[in-house]
Structures are given as structure tokens and as C-alpha cells.
Amino acid sequence: MKVIRRLIPLLTMAALAAGALAQVESGGVVRKRSERERKNKEEANGPQVSERMQGFFESKEPHDADLAYMRQIYRQIDLNKDANTPLYFPEDVIDGQQNLFRIILGLVVDGKVPAYEYLDGREVFTDQYKINIGEMLDRFGIYATESGGSEKNRKYVIEEADVPTGQVMNYYIIEKWEFDNRTNQMKTRVEAICPVLNRSGDFGGEAKYPMFWVKFDQLRPYLAQQYIFLNDNNNLPQYSLDDYFNLGMYEGEIYKTRNLRNLSMNQLYEDPDDLKRAQDSIDRSLREFGKDLWVPTREQYLEKKQREAEEAKLKAEGDTLPERTVVNISDKSSKKSTTTRTARKTTKKRASSKVKSSSSSSSNSNAAKSVRRRKK
């Protein structure tokens, strides 16, 4: 018991001494990590995404029983178009801001996001078709240094100057247009993205080299942390890259639709005019699919029929403008003279009525005066 009593003061003194030492080292202030340190850590390790955050951005594919219609569309996004330039800039890393290709390549090389082989229209997003990072870098001539890891999970480091950002001027995306029976709405979602290298071909000209597919849902947590501005008139970054794709702010032409023969639009329509008409027709039919399912009421149907009958009658009579009024010069002059005569008559009537009213009022006043005189 005496030993315990002696130990208590010693332990108390030791604790006070440790607290005083820690206070001297930290200055007695709890130091918060500065914004600069946070940015430096993000630049070194990239944006951090937890499993909970990843689950928030994952979208469940609807069951086939809930779908009445589904169509898979392949689009090509050209970064030379003004609406798509937010995906290209900034070309270099500026204050932690990166363009889309740097984000995708960094995530793939670090092993945070899996990439899949480009199979030209028969994409399969399974482990069997995952790409080997080292082989992909060698195939496209991207210089990288190994930084350890096992043979299967080899780590690579790519210097900023070796990232071929200026050569990625196109992206392929897979869109899914689905009509959901539960909500009676047509919904569009981006399923996957593929960066495309534009390089000089072996026989001159420019050749396109699709690199790999990345599933969009696995990119979303990282794209949601990267904000962009859309045009030169307003430099305030109000939208994230995730918003850019989900809100359909991009412009892309249809280069392929999923079909049994696995043919592209260029193979189906060799004439450029026929190709353009087919692309516009597919795009218009997709956007107006929901309108075709709308059934009007009886009154609306009869009103529409009556309006169509009136328009057909006017067309048959040769008048294409139903509310048009035709005025001839002779009619205008006669109308003017008629209006003048009518105005003159109206003026005379008003003058005569004024004279009559004044005379009647004067007679009434005289009569009143005479009555008063008699009374007096």
C-alpha cells in the first residue's frame, strides 16, 4: 500500500512533464493541416475515394422486366468542337486541375480503376478482358518507369511531360437509352468512355487508335471532384466533369449502333449525305420516343383534326397564311374617303346637338327667371 502511494506522485509528475514537453514542441496549439498541404497530398496521391463514396455514385442497372425499350449508341466526341473543349483543357496540370485524359490515365496506371480491351463493338467488361498496364503503355509508346509491385500488379510512374495529352483529341462513349416502365420515362446514361489517340498513319494522314474502355460509374467519384468552366464568357467553374456527362453537355455524332452484323455507320451508309440523314434520324427518334407513347384526350384529338382540316382547306384555296389580310390601294382610298365623310357627318351631328342643348338650357333658365319674378 505504501509503495502504491509513493508511485502515484511519481506517475503524476511524469505525466505533467510529458504534457509540458508536448506543449513546448507544439507551441500549445493544435495545428490544422493547411490547404497547401492538403493540395500537395492530393497531387502526390490523387483524390481519395472511400467505399461509401464509390457506392453513392454507382448506378444499378434496371432489370429487363422493368424496361420496355433499350438501345445502345456509340458516339464520337470531337474535342475541336466548342462544346467539348472543357474535356481538353487545361493541357498541363494547373493548381491541381487536370483534364479528362490525365485523370483517366492516372487512375488506370495506379490501379484504382480497371480498364478493358477495345473490341470494336463487342465490349465485355469482365476480368477476362482487363488490360495489362505495361503492355498497353508499350503498345501506345508511352514512356513509364517501374516503381515496384508484384509481377501481376506492377506499379508505373509517368512523368507529366510523357503524358500524350495533345494527341487525345477524341473520345468514344457508349450511351444507353432506356425506357423505364416504372417511371414512364426515357433515361440516358453513359456506360463507358474510351480515349482515342490521333497520330500520323503509316501511309500519311491521321489515324485514330482507341486505347481502352473505362466504366463511367467507376470514374464518377473522381470526376465529381474536378470542376470545369464551359465557355470563355464565364470562367467560373460551376459544373464538375460528372455533371458534364450526366447533363448531356457534350456534342457527339453517332458512329455506330449495336446491331447483329456489328457494322459501323460508315459501313452501312457509304454516301456522306445518307450517313448524315441516318444519324439525324436515329438521334431524333431517340429524343422523341417518349412523345410517341403519349396518347391525347378525345377533345385534343378532335381539336387537332379540325386544325388540320382548316389548314388543308386554306392550302387548297391557295392561301398559306390563314390570318393574312389583303388590302388594295383602291379599297384603301375609298375607305379613307368613306371615313372622312363619316367623320364630317359625326362632327355636324355633334355641333347641332350642342346648339340644341345650349338653346334648351337657355330657354329653361329664362323660364325659371320669369317664374321667380311672378312670385315676387
Side-chain angles (χ1 to χ4, degrees):
M1 195 70 181
K2 293 181 180 180
V3 174
I4 295 173
R5 288 179 181 176
R6 290 178 182 176
L7 285 175
I8 289 174
L10 293 175
L11 293 173
T12 306
M13 292 176 63
L16 292 174
L21 182 61
Q23 188 174 4
V24 170
E25 289 180 354
S26 63
V29 179
V30 177
R31 191 171 64 86
K32 187 179 179 181
R33 182 180 295 167
S34 65
E35 187 70 17
R36 189 182 188 87
E37 289 179 350
R38 187 184 65 80
K39 284 186 176 181
N40 291 337
K41 185 177 180 181
E42 284 188 359
E43 289 179 5
N45 302 325
Q48 301 300 316
V49 173
S50 62
E51 292 183 4
R52 183 179 180 183
M53 189 176 181
Q54 181 71 47
F56 175 78
F57 284 99
E58 286 180 358
S59 58
K60 273 190 175 182
E61 292 193 12
H63 196 272
D64 293 343
D66 298 327
L67 296 179
Y69 175 87
M70 191 277 286
R71 193 163 189 186
Q72 196 164 305
I73 303 295
Y74 293 77
R75 289 187 187 272
Q76 178 181 197
I77 298 178
D78 186 1
L79 300 190
N80 290 314
K81 293 184 177 180
D82 292 338
N84 302 328
T85 49
L87 301 180
Y88 180 79
F89 293 100
E91 188 174 357
D92 299 322
V93 181
I94 301 175
D95 294 334
Q97 296 292 317
Q98 304 180 57
N99 60 14
L100 180 61
F101 178 65
R102 284 184 178 273
I103 295 174
I104 293 176
L105 185 63
L107 294 173
V108 170
V109 171
D110 292 342
K112 295 179 180 179
V113 172
Y116 304 89
E117 291 287 349
Y118 178 83
L119 300 176
D120 194 14
R122 299 194 184 278
E123 283 69 31
V124 183
F125 303 118
T126 59
D127 294 341
Q128 182 182 355
Y129 293 96
K130 283 184 179 180
I131 64 170
N132 184 283
I133 304 299
E135 292 179 0
M136 182 270 295
L137 296 175
D138 292 338
R139 188 194 316 164
F140 297 108
I142 301 175
Y143 180 75
T145 57
E146 297 182 3
S147 63
S150 62
E151 186 176 353
K152 291 184 179 180
N153 299 320
R154 187 76 64 189
K155 301 296 182 181
Y156 297 91
V157 176
I158 304 175
E159 299 296 333
E160 291 185 6
D162 297 325
V163 179
T165 306
Q167 298 178 8
V168 178
M169 299 303 298
N170 299 92
Y171 286 94
Y172 293 158
I173 65 171
I174 301 176
E175 285 181 348
K176 275 194 174 180
W177 292 72
E178 300 164 334
F179 186 83
D180 196 339
N181 285 326
R182 296 172 300 175
T183 58
N184 289 332
Q185 289 181 349
M186 174 70 88
K187 296 181 180 180
T188 312
R189 60 186 178 92
V190 179
E191 187 179 20
I193 302 177
C194 173
V196 182
L197 287 172
N198 292 23
R199 290 176 175 174
S200 300
D202 297 334
F203 302 99
E206 190 177 65
K208 296 179 180 179
Y209 300 94
M211 299 181 67
F212 48 79
W213 287 106
V214 179
K215 296 193 72 174
F216 182 69
D217 284 351
Q218 294 174 340
L219 285 176
R220 288 188 63 190
Y222 304 94
L223 300 184
Q225 302 180 46
Q226 194 74 26
Y227 281 79
I228 56 174
F229 63 91
L230 301 179
N231 53 59
D232 297 335
N233 298 325
N234 187 1
N235 301 144
L236 185 66
Q238 296 177 318
Y239 298 93
S240 66
L241 284 172
D242 183 51
D243 298 329
Y244 180 85
F245 283 101
N246 284 322
L247 298 177
M249 298 179 180
Y250 55 87
E251 288 184 7
E253 63 177 13
I254 300 173
Y255 75 91
K256 190 174 185 177
T257 61
R258 190 175 183 182
N259 55 81
L260 296 174
R261 293 184 292 170
N262 195 29
L263 298 177
S264 66
M265 298 291 289
N266 287 323
Q267 293 171 324
L268 293 172
Y269 305 95
E270 296 181 359
D271 185 71
D273 295 334
D274 293 340
L275 174 63
K276 181 62 177 173
R277 281 193 292 268
Q279 289 172 338
D280 294 341
S281 176
I282 294 171
D283 210 347
R284 186 169 55 253
S285 65
L286 288 171
R287 299 185 189 281
E288 295 181 356
F289 181 84
K291 296 179 182 178
D292 296 338
L293 298 177
W294 175 72
V295 179
T297 61
R298 183 176 181 274
E299 292 76 12
Q300 291 171 338
Y301 177 77
L302 293 175
E303 183 183 355
K304 181 182 177 182
K305 283 293 182 183
Q306 184 179 0
R307 187 168 59 251
E308 290 176 353
E310 291 176 356
E311 291 176 357
K313 184 179 178 181
L314 291 172
K315 277 187 179 180
E317 294 174 355
D319 191 359
T320 56
L321 297 175
E323 297 182 356
R324 184 179 61 183
T325 54
V326 181
V327 180
N328 296 326
I329 298 176
S330 58
D331 296 342
K332 193 174 182 181
S333 59
S334 62
K335 187 177 180 182
K336 185 176 180 182
S337 59
T338 307
T339 307
T340 307
R341 287 197 297 270
T342 307
R344 287 176 181 173
K345 287 181 181 179
T346 308
T347 307
K348 287 181 181 180
K349 285 181 180 179
R350 287 178 181 174
S352 60
S353 62
K354 282 183 180 180
V355 171
K356 287 181 181 180
S357 62
S358 61
S359 61
S360 62
S361 61
S362 62
S363 62
N364 291 335
S365 62
N366 292 332
K369 286 179 182 179
S370 61
V371 170
R372 291 193 192 97
R373 285 170 187 168
R374 288 195 195 100
K375 285 182 180 179
K376 287 179 180 179

